[in-house]
Amino acid sequence: MARKKEKIIVKLDLPKDDSTLTKLYAILFVSILLGLGTAAVWATNSGFIPSTNGEPMFTNLYCGLTAKDSQGESMGQHFNTNVAPDYSANQSCAILQDAPDRIVWENEEWKTVLKQGKNFDVPGVDSDQTGGLVVLQPLWVNCTIIADTSTDYIVAIRSQDGEILAMHESNTDQDNCELNMVSIPPDDRYEFLVFSMEDGKRLSKVSFDMTVHYYDGVPSNMNNKSFWLGPELELGAKSLRPFIFLNFFGMMFFFFLYPASYYWERVQTAQNDMEEKFPDFLRDLAEYWKGGLSMTVAIQTLATSEYGALNHEVKKMSDQLSWGIKFSDVIKQFADRVGTPLVQRAIALIAEADRAGGKISDILVTAANDSRELKFLEGERRRAIGSYIAVIWTSYFVFLGVIVTLAVVFIPAIAGSNSSGGDAGDSGGQTIGNMTIRNIDPLFFLTVFYYGVTMQAVGNGTVAGLMSTGRFSTGFKHSGMMIVVALVVFNFLAFTPNLIGITDVPTLNPSLGTFVPSNLNLGGASSGG
């Protein structure tokens, strides 16, 4: 009976091309592209590149190419003139459209009502500022009517010239009513009215909520001074503007400095981990040599030992020796793969001793002791410098805390103290004796503060890294982390609506007291739902 042929499987751990530098160049290429992109967004929104119409160059370029009206006709010409685009031009561009704010008059309750009313105001964009575009501001009223007996009643909204704009009429002792308007024009002194239409009968309780969608004419992605703020992001009760033009300044430096330095530091850390185990490997190799084993057998035996990050390299040397490659070539290739001066120097010494026929065990012990001493000195340096690194980080946090405190507390207080006062020239402000305190723009100071913190991060981080390892890559890694800290702190604490120039949402401003209204003129009144 013929024997079954057995398969012979040979696993070859062949040397592979080192892709470290290839990956580094790829990361550098991508990070530089991202850095240039964020730099372009920041520069075209920062005001350092002026435009003829006072709007950011970023929106002029984008909207000049993409803006179209409802019929699909190009509106880009409105962004290429010396005149700032009007409301209708902004509405034709996807990134400049005005989003409504929700204004609510709620929890209003009246008791024992015969005829009663309150005045309220409706803000909005003036019709002469819309460029002929009709801006719809819908209104909703939800009301609850309770009476002792079934009673005819009317709930209505009336303009100051007496025209009834919306009305709900019913007969009941308990009713949930609604008033809806497709649009209510901006105006003052609207009236919300409730009438009992039966003599002597009063409504026991009237409660209602009113909601209006209000447009202020300012694009939702910009503030009232035409700076790019980007879309709003709601995180629970916190509102953020992660794409504000200031963030792109920090992201520019982050992309330029951090990705490549982070990768290179990981490479250096891996090499350092191998160097930490290298003296142990040399010591064990010397012991086996003293025991009478050849270098080939010694390394093949050590391949089963535990050397942490060096395990893979020892296994690779063992495989190469099993293929018949000379010991001198194997250790030379090992030194080239690790690539650190410490390993290359020790391996060059061992290879020369092997070629000259000297006592290799003594050379191995000497190289192991030398490598261990060098790693010990590196550790001592890290421990000695560690306190200085902590001081640099602490000073940065102190500086950041002071700057944010100034931005959040001091600047709004100064801006509020002289926002209304006597004549102080074209810039406004207050005059006290011969001293003039001019009005300040909180966003200007916030911008200066943020630029200062970012540059402080770049400088402090670079110095910290150079002190720690002597490598710029370590410094740039520290800088990138400091920039991220500044981004997070400023976005959560400093980039508040009052500091970045977002217009406060007004209220419906209901009158403090009620009044007894005149009788309704029901001619031409429109009924609500």
Side-chain angles (χ1 to χ4, degrees):
M1 184 176 178
R3 294 181 59 187
K4 185 178 179 181
K5 293 183 179 180
E6 296 181 358
K7 292 183 179 180
I8 299 176
I9 301 175
V10 179
K11 294 182 179 180
L12 298 178
D13 190 7
L14 297 175
K16 300 179 178 64
D17 292 335
D18 188 2
S19 61
T20 301
L21 290 180
T22 302
K23 292 178 181 177
L24 176 64
Y25 295 149
I27 293 173
L28 276 171
F29 178 75
V30 174
S31 62
I32 289 174
L33 283 182
L34 291 173
L36 291 175
T38 52
V41 174
W42 166 73
T44 53
N45 281 287
S46 63
F48 287 107
I49 304 177
S51 61
T52 56
N53 60 6
E55 301 294 304
M57 182 177 291
F58 172 76
T59 56
N60 283 335
L61 292 174
Y62 181 85
C63 296
L65 296 174
T66 63
K68 295 183 182 299
D69 61 15
S70 57
Q71 284 75 38
E73 298 294 329
S74 175
M75 296 278 286
Q77 68 275 9
H78 293 277
F79 298 90
N80 300 318
T81 66
N82 296 328
V83 180
D86 59 15
Y87 187 85
S88 61
N90 285 338
Q91 289 297 99
S92 68
C93 182
I95 63 174
L96 293 185
Q97 293 176 357
D98 185 13
D101 289 305
R102 187 170 175 267
I103 311 175
V104 178
W105 173 14
E106 55 187 351
N107 300 325
E108 186 74 20
E109 185 175 304
W110 301 341
K111 293 183 178 179
T112 60
V113 176
L114 183 61
K115 293 194 302 182
Q116 197 160 310
K118 258 194 174 187
N119 295 317
F120 65 95
D121 303 331
V122 176
V125 186
D126 292 337
S127 57
D128 58 353
Q129 297 176 351
T130 63
L133 190 68
V134 177
V135 181
L136 300 180
Q137 297 192 145
L139 174 144
W140 300 268
V141 175
N142 296 314
C143 50
T144 300
I145 307 294
I146 298 176
D148 294 333
T149 60
S150 293
T151 305
D152 292 332
Y153 72 91
I154 290 177
V155 177
I157 293 176
R158 186 167 65 182
S159 65
Q160 58 179 305
D161 59 6
E163 180 185 359
I164 297 176
L165 303 178
M167 185 179 70
H168 174 86
E169 184 176 7
S170 184
N171 179 290
T172 185
D173 59 349
Q174 184 168 344
D175 188 21
N176 292 322
C177 58
E178 292 183 357
L179 288 178
N180 296 317
M181 292 181 62
V182 175
S183 180
I184 182 168
D187 201 356
D188 296 336
R189 307 290 295 178
Y190 284 103
E191 297 175 346
F192 181 81
L193 309 173
V194 179
F195 286 82
S196 171
M197 303 303 292
E198 298 185 35
D199 292 338
K201 284 190 175 182
R202 296 179 179 270
L203 303 175
S204 303
K205 180 180 177 181
V206 176
S207 58
F208 63 90
D209 297 323
M210 181 183 295
T211 302
V212 175
H213 278 183
Y214 146 75
Y215 289 83
D216 61 0
V218 180
S220 59
N221 288 330
M222 300 175 73
N223 64 9
N224 55 357
K225 293 194 176 182
S226 296
F227 280 104
W228 179 259
L229 303 179
E232 186 177 13
L233 175 64
E234 298 286 348
L235 289 181
K238 185 66 179 176
S239 174
L240 302 179
R241 296 277 181 167
F243 296 102
I244 184 174
F245 73 96
L246 291 175
N247 279 345
F248 287 93
F249 182 77
M251 289 190 290
M252 170 183 66
F253 283 100
F254 176 82
F255 286 129
F256 279 144
L257 300 178
Y258 188 76
S261 62
Y262 173 78
Y263 171 74
W264 191 247
E265 281 303 297
R266 288 191 60 182
V267 172
Q268 295 297 321
T269 300
Q271 291 180 346
N272 185 68
D273 292 340
M274 288 191 287
E275 284 185 346
E276 292 288 345
K277 294 294 183 179
F278 183 62
D280 296 335
F281 169 71
L282 293 181
R283 181 200 61 201
D284 293 344
L285 191 60
E287 293 297 326
Y288 277 101
W289 177 265
K290 290 178 181 179
L293 297 180
S294 66
M295 282 296 181
T296 300
V297 176
I299 291 179
Q300 290 175 337
T301 304
L302 292 175
T304 60
S305 301
E306 178 58 42
Y307 292 107
L310 204 58
N311 282 343
H312 180 69
E313 293 297 334
V314 177
K315 177 66 168 56
K316 185 174 290 187
M317 285 192 290
S318 173
D319 293 340
Q320 289 176 326
L321 288 170
S322 69
W323 302 335
I325 301 176
K326 290 192 306 180
F327 172 74
S328 60
D329 293 337
V330 169
I331 59 174
K332 185 177 184 304
Q333 291 177 10
F334 163 72
D336 292 339
R337 287 195 300 272
V338 177
T340 63
L342 183 145
V343 172
Q344 288 179 332
R345 184 173 66 173
I347 293 301
L349 185 63
I350 296 169
E352 187 63 24
D354 180 64
R355 187 186 66 81
K359 193 174 181 181
I360 295 181
S361 59
D362 293 341
I363 301 298
L364 289 171
V365 171
T366 301
N369 291 336
D370 180 63
S371 300
R372 184 175 288 108
E373 184 67 22
L374 288 174
K375 298 307 295 181
F376 174 77
L377 292 176
E378 287 183 8
E380 282 293 304
R381 175 183 175 178
R382 285 195 298 271
R383 285 187 289 272
I385 296 298
S387 58
Y388 295 99
I389 306 302
V391 168
I392 290 175
W393 271 92
T394 302
S395 65
Y396 176 72
F397 278 119
V398 170
F399 178 73
L400 179 62
V402 171
I403 289 298
V404 171
T405 301
L406 286 174
V408 175
V409 179
F410 182 72
I411 297 303
I414 295 297
S417 67
N418 61 5
S419 59
S420 60
D423 181 21
D426 293 339
S427 61
Q430 289 184 340
T431 301
I432 304 176
N434 294 326
M435 182 176 64
T436 297
I437 303 176
R438 298 189 179 277
N439 287 340
I440 66 172
D441 178 13
L443 181 58
F444 170 78
F445 285 92
L446 184 65
T447 300
V448 173
F449 289 164
Y450 180 70
Y451 290 166
V453 167
T454 302
M455 299 313 298
Q456 183 84 356
V458 173
N460 279 14
T462 302
V463 171
L466 285 174
M467 291 175 63
S468 176
T469 64
R471 296 190 300 266
F472 275 102
S473 59
T474 309
F476 292 158
K477 181 181 175 182
H478 279 279
S479 296
M481 291 188 291
M482 288 181 178
I483 289 171
V484 170
V485 171
L487 280 168
V488 172
V489 170
F490 267 80
N491 276 276
F492 277 89
L493 298 179
F495 292 158
T496 56
N498 62 317
L499 289 178
I500 62 179
I502 297 178
T503 305
D504 292 334
V505 178
T507 67
L508 292 173
N509 192 29
S511 57
L512 295 178
T514 60
F515 64 90
V516 178
S518 59
N519 291 329
L520 290 173
N521 178 13
L522 298 181
S526 59
S527 297

